[in-house]
Amino acid sequence: MNAPSALATSVDFSVPENVTMIRQMARDFAEKHIRPNIMEWDEAQHFPVDLFHLLGEQGMMGVLVPTEYGGAGLGYYEYVAVIDEISQVCGSIGLSVAAHNSLCTGHILQFGNAEQKQRWLPKLATGQWIGAWGLTEPGTGSDAMNMKVVARQEGTDWVLNGTKCWITHGKSSNVAVVIARTGEPGDSHGMTAFVVERGTAGFTAGKKENKLGMRASETTEMIFSDCRIPQENVLGKIGDGFIQAMKILDGGRISIAALSLGIARGAYKAAVKYAKEREQFGKPIAQFQGIAFKLADMATEIEASELLINKASDLKNRGQKVTDISAMAKYYASEACVRISTDAVQVFGGYGYTKDFPVEKFYRDSKLCTIGEGTSEIQKLVIAREILR
């Protein structure tokens, strides 16, 4: 008999008491250090490296990392609260915090040996170093098993060649976890995970993407040209890289769901405030049913998103399988985020289309949530596969 699906598992709705405190800390940080700069960073596509060092000092770059490695030693409820609060102010910064925590840092935490964890996690968890994670390539987005970046063994070293694209922090990161092919194309056991430090010969940054949204979160190519990696930089077993990556993405989808929730909340709060203040025909537009119903839909979708995320967080904290529920949370929350930010622009009318008001940025940032770490279409494939097992 198959193990019960996460869908059949009950969820404990009691959230740890310290989540409120963590949420307030993240909110205060975002108001002080992020809000005054968001449009300047967005217009210039500036990735504020110094900000992430500050975030590290507050424990937000190693939320899930045990204290023995310099992390905050917290769980997924606290992690989601951090991403949510930051993303209500700026989706770009929320995205970068999520990618650093759940992908690079998370991969080393979950699959590194004791020596590797001690070597890299303290720097990542404290924000001294910024992490990147390389899976996607120009010709293999969703089709990762046919990746072209190849690692061949030479003595006790591995030599990497090829290009990764759409990599968050691909230029400014100090260290990257890179999945490369060590076997035959299409073989799920033909890929291996490597840790590559900045400054390694043959490891360079390529093109920086000029994006619609999330413009303060750096996205670039990572290029490997006869890049020599020592055996001790291999994470886990040779051939397990793709399997590891899929497990990392299970948790990463909770991150993107939390990012979506934060952007949606930010857009919703702005829309409610504006609808109460903006008057037409002698009364606030919030009193017109057409606007009030939009706000009601937004509020409902935010609540539904949060419940899915909380269920995924609860299962993750208890070490249970989250493949189906994390895909559902990511799929639903990201699509809801796009709808909510779109409706927020509509509530603002013409003003919503200008950069003088906040909702146009939520609108631009929201779309990435339906694409990054697995498109909505891929999420539906994952969900269907799980429920039809």
Side-chain angles (χ1 to χ4, degrees):
M1 181 180 292
N2 290 333
S5 164
L7 296 176
T9 307
S10 62
V11 62
D12 181 0
F13 285 95
S14 61
V15 175
E17 291 181 9
N18 68 336
V19 172
T20 300
M21 180 184 69
I22 299 296
R23 184 175 287 279
Q24 187 63 54
M25 179 194 69
R27 183 180 302 154
D28 292 343
F29 184 96
E31 290 297 331
K32 180 178 180 180
H33 296 286
I34 300 174
R35 191 178 293 281
N37 305 297
I38 53 176
M39 291 312 296
E40 178 185 345
W41 292 341
D42 183 80
E43 292 285 340
Q45 291 202 90
H46 173 66
F47 178 58
V49 173
D50 289 344
L51 176 76
F52 293 90
H53 298 323
L54 286 176
L55 282 159
E57 291 174 8
Q58 298 295 314
M60 289 184 275
M61 296 293 272
V63 181
L64 302 167
V65 176
T67 55
E68 65 186 285
Y69 298 117
L74 300 172
Y76 265 78
Y77 283 123
E78 293 88 349
Y79 175 53
V80 164
V82 167
I83 302 301
D84 178 6
E85 288 295 332
I86 290 174
S87 303
Q88 288 183 47
V89 175
C90 181
S92 294
I93 305 304
L95 171 62
S96 280
V97 172
H100 172 93
N101 273 278
S102 70
L103 298 180
C104 178
T105 305
H107 199 137
I108 295 171
L109 175 63
Q110 189 166 342
F111 294 105
N113 58 37
E115 183 181 339
Q116 290 170 331
K117 290 177 183 179
Q118 194 60 59
R119 180 178 172 188
W120 290 302
L121 287 181
K123 292 177 180 178
L124 289 164
T126 57
Q128 290 176 260
W129 280 16
I130 294 171
W133 193 73
L135 179 67
T136 304
E137 298 178 10
T140 57
S142 300
D143 185 18
M145 282 201 298
N146 283 302
M147 64 176 55
K148 301 295 191 293
V149 172
V150 173
R152 70 177 187 278
Q153 193 164 17
E154 291 188 0
T156 59
D157 293 343
W158 292 84
V159 179
L160 272 64
N161 280 285
T163 299
K164 296 289 184 181
C165 67
W166 298 107
I167 307 304
T168 305
H169 316 145
K171 178 180 179 181
S172 296
S173 58
N174 304 92
V175 64
V177 173
V178 180
I179 317 300
R181 185 160 58 80
T182 50
E184 294 301 314
D187 180 4
S188 62
H189 292 281
M191 287 152 280
T192 302
F194 300 87
V195 180
V196 188
E197 293 187 14
R198 186 69 58 183
T200 303
F203 174 29
T204 57
K207 175 188 174 186
K208 180 178 178 178
E209 302 298 339
N210 185 10
K211 299 177 294 183
L212 168 72
M214 302 291 194
R215 290 169 61 82
S217 179
E218 177 186 277
T219 306
T220 71
E221 294 176 324
M222 292 195 303
I223 300 171
F224 304 93
S225 180
D226 290 332
C227 180
R228 188 171 292 272
I229 308 299
Q231 177 66 33
E232 56 264 30
N233 285 32
V234 174
L235 287 174
K237 296 178 181 178
I238 302 300
D240 279 359
F242 180 78
I243 306 302
Q244 292 175 11
M246 294 304 102
K247 291 178 180 178
I248 293 301
L249 286 174
D250 278 351
R253 285 164 183 153
I254 300 175
S255 299
I256 301 301
L259 172 67
S260 304
L261 177 64
I263 293 172
R265 271 203 230 270
Y268 166 73
K269 288 179 178 179
V272 169
K273 183 176 183 292
Y274 184 80
K276 289 179 176 179
E277 296 171 350
R278 170 71 167 170
E279 291 192 359
Q280 292 285 271
F281 306 102
K283 59 183 178 181
I285 62 171
Q287 294 183 20
F288 292 99
Q289 191 178 77
I291 299 299
F293 279 14
K294 281 188 187 299
L295 299 176
D297 285 340
M298 291 181 196
T300 302
E301 291 194 289
I302 286 170
E303 288 294 324
S305 298
E306 187 169 27
L307 286 169
L308 277 168
I309 294 166
N310 282 347
K311 182 166 186 176
S313 297
D314 178 64
L315 291 169
K316 188 71 174 170
N317 282 342
R318 292 194 273 128
Q320 296 192 16
K321 184 179 178 182
V322 295
T323 302
D324 48 4
I325 198 69
S326 66
M328 289 177 180
K330 196 271 188 189
Y331 168 53
Y332 184 85
S334 64
E335 292 290 345
C337 175
V338 172
R339 290 190 293 269
I340 290 164
S341 61
T342 301
D343 279 348
V345 172
Q346 197 71 17
V347 169
F348 273 75
Y351 291 115
Y353 205 65
T354 72
K355 292 182 182 293
D356 295 328
F357 291 82
V359 289
E360 69 85 29
K361 183 175 182 299
F362 289 124
Y363 177 71
R364 287 186 290 110
D365 287 348
S366 68
K367 189 58 193 169
L368 185 276
C369 297
T370 68
I371 299 170
E373 295 195 35
T375 63
S376 291
E377 291 73 24
I378 287 295
Q379 302 314 310
K380 287 192 275 189
L381 284 174
V382 171
I383 295 163
R385 181 189 66 207
E386 291 298 314
I387 63 177
L388 294 173
R389 280 188 186 277

